[in-house]
Amino acid sequence: MATTITVNDAVTTALTETTCSTSENGSNNATQIATQVILAVIMFGLGCSADAKLMWRYIKRPKIFITGLALQLLLMPFLGFGLARAFQLTEAETIGVIIQASAPGGAYSNIASYWLDGDMDLSIVMTTSSTILALGTMPLWLFVFPTIMNLQDECLTVSFSALGFSLLGICAPLLVGLLVKYKFPEKSVIVTKICSGLGSFAILVLVIVVAATQGSGLAESITWRQVVVVIIFPVLALVLGYFACRVPWLKISVSGRRTIAIETAMQSSAVANTIVLVSYDQDSPNFAPVFLFSGMYGIIQLVVAFVVVVSYLIAKKKGVNCVVPSDADQETNDPKAVNSPDGIVNLGYKNTEAD
């Protein structure tokens, strides 16, 4: 009888664990699908505001966006590694920082650039280029830094499928948006505002839902050092990215510097999360400390971006012109830009008045 009860208990436990695992997988899949749909809508809207000719001009004369890519793909991994060593993170926590620091730019940076009056064309070129180049740079850094740390047993797998889907999620809706702008230039501005507004709101709701439903399980593994690094890292990257672009010979406009700083600091936590999930067994004791950093980084960058965007829009609406890119502060080569009392106005963001 005791044996029967033991067997029944074991079966019940196994069924319960299987049900919970299936439920968690279903929840994760639903979150991933919702994220991809939201990003597709956003990238479609941003494509409606982009200028294909100006994007091609950046590619033909790449000094500006190559500077941004160097900051994003070279500065960030070393900055992340340096912060992890400075705050004496554990080896597992350091690996989490390195994975996130090596990730390419994400679509959220395009949204932030749009709302902060950055250079949308430069932002899109940088995001797309960094995702393509990450096919080579991520394997490089994920080999170099564990080797420096003498972690011979670490086997980090770069998910090329995740990078491929990330690239597809950026390019496909973007190309459709560019086509819409070409066919319906006057309507495209309205489409951009609707898609970016709804998409930004949907992202905020999704972050709140995910934090409320999935955050409790990993919260026990968070250390104060991780929290400090995850806050300092994007802020320091933003500041370094902006001031590195002030080198006189680069001649980068204020909107360009903003865009490069945003692209440098806002990296794809989705790609980083995928690499952790592919490389580590979720039952491993190292899984939580490695996975936590990219998860927290994704939330922090969205929260900070939301606060900055709202503050900027309020200041702009109240006429605080010092925050708006001005004619006195920048030297622009953008053929779409014109002077106004409030500074440089990019016609890609404004609807033209009827004659």
Side-chain angles (χ1 to χ4, degrees), residues 71-72 74-84 87 89 94 96-103 225-241 261 264-267 293-294 296-298 300-301 304:
L71 291 169
Q72 188 174 46
L74 297 179
L75 170 69
M76 288 296 282
F78 283 97
L79 179 61
F81 181 72
L83 286 173
F87 284 91
L89 298 186
T94 301
V97 176
I98 293 170
I99 292 174
Q100 179 61 58
S102 304
R225 288 184 174 87
Q226 281 181 303
V227 175
V228 173
V229 172
V230 84
I231 293 174
I232 292 177
F233 190 22
V235 174
L236 190 56
L238 193 71
V239 173
L240 290 176
T264 300
M266 298 189 71
Q267 296 180 296
F293 189 83
S294 57
M296 290 191 297
Y297 194 93
I300 286 292
Q301 67 179 358
V304 171

Side-chain angles (χ1 to χ4, degrees), residues 293-333:
F293 189 83
S294 57
M296 290 191 297
Y297 194 93
I299 294 174
I300 286 292
Q301 67 179 358
L302 287 177
V303 171
V304 171
F306 179 77
V307 172
V308 172
V309 166
V310 170
S311 302
Y312 175 76
L313 293 177
I314 291 174
K316 186 177 176 182
K317 189 174 182 63
K318 291 187 175 181
V320 183
N321 293 332
C322 63
V323 301
V324 182
S326 64
D327 191 23
D329 292 333
Q330 73 174 338
E331 183 178 336
T332 180
N333 296 317

